[in-house]
Amino acid sequence: MSNLFAIAYPDLATAQAVRNEAVGLQKQRLIELEDAVVVERREDGRIKLHQQVSTTGAGAASGAVWGGVIGLLFFMPIIGAAVGGAAGAAVGATTDIGVDDDFMRQVGQHLQPGTAAVFLLVRTATADKVVPALARYGGRIIQTSLSAEAEAELKATVEASRAQAAPASA
């Protein structure tokens, strides 16, 4: 079972840096992510989701390939690719993988304008390596799917990691 972590940051750049760090940790096999999304609350109050993977683009590419193949069967590969690409993009735009977009928008409404949050849906993680790597960016844990005790322990671990990192950077 996966766990959800939502962490607020003072700006979009920091939130994006944290997501990039998490993706880098995944390449090192220290964390396994199902989804990693940055939610930005713009100065005008609007919520913008910065998805890691575009399902619209992936759907369009897949649809174009399959449409082209089917079009070859009927001697109309270009028309088949165009129709398949459009259909794939439409299906991709309506597909939601990972964290629910509506839920992220609702949580994003509680952010201050000009701030952002990272939503990480984590399958597995090597906590003793991942927590210190992400804790150095600061942030405030705003939501998790952990039990109350596990969440309190995580917050204490994050604070301890920050305290250890502070003298090293000073």
Side-chain angles (χ1 to χ4, degrees):
M1 177 166 170
S2 299
N3 286 305
L4 175 67
F5 301 91
I7 309 159
Y9 294 95
D11 56 53
L12 177 62
T14 305
Q16 288 176 328
V18 170
R19 180 179 62 187
N20 293 342
E21 180 79 19
V23 169
L25 292 169
Q26 181 169 261
K27 289 177 183 173
Q28 297 173 39
R29 305 235 187 261
L30 296 174
I31 189 170
E32 187 180 350
L33 298 170
E34 280 186 47
D35 201 5
V37 180
V38 173
V39 177
E40 172 190 14
R41 181 147 188 217
R42 296 185 171 167
E43 292 294 341
D44 63 5
R46 291 185 19 221
I47 304 298
K48 168 81 173 146
L49 303 181
H50 300 270
Q51 301 279 357
Q52 181 180 1
V53 176
S54 168
T55 55
T56 302
S62 174
V65 169
W66 283 108
V69 169
I70 293 169
L72 280 173
L73 296 174
F74 297 103
F75 303 107
M76 295 182 281
I78 294 176
I79 293 172
V83 170
V91 169
T94 61
T95 301
D96 185 19
I97 58 171
V99 184
D100 181 62
D101 290 354
D102 290 333
F103 171 72
M104 289 187 288
R105 284 187 182 95
Q106 287 173 355
V107 173
Q109 288 295 332
H110 299 288
L111 296 172
Q112 294 298 315
T115 64
V118 175
F119 285 73
L120 300 173
L121 191 56
V122 179
R123 276 194 198 115
T124 60
T126 307
D128 63 329
K129 304 227 185 218
V130 172
V131 170
L134 298 181
R136 67 188 174 97
Y137 291 94
R140 178 178 51 87
I141 297 171
I142 56 175
Q143 182 120 8
T144 75
S145 61
L146 300 173
S147 68
E149 294 127 15
E151 186 172 328
E153 186 178 322
L154 174 64
K155 287 179 179 180
T157 303
V158 167
E159 289 304 318
S161 292
R162 287 186 193 150
Q164 284 180 338
S169 64

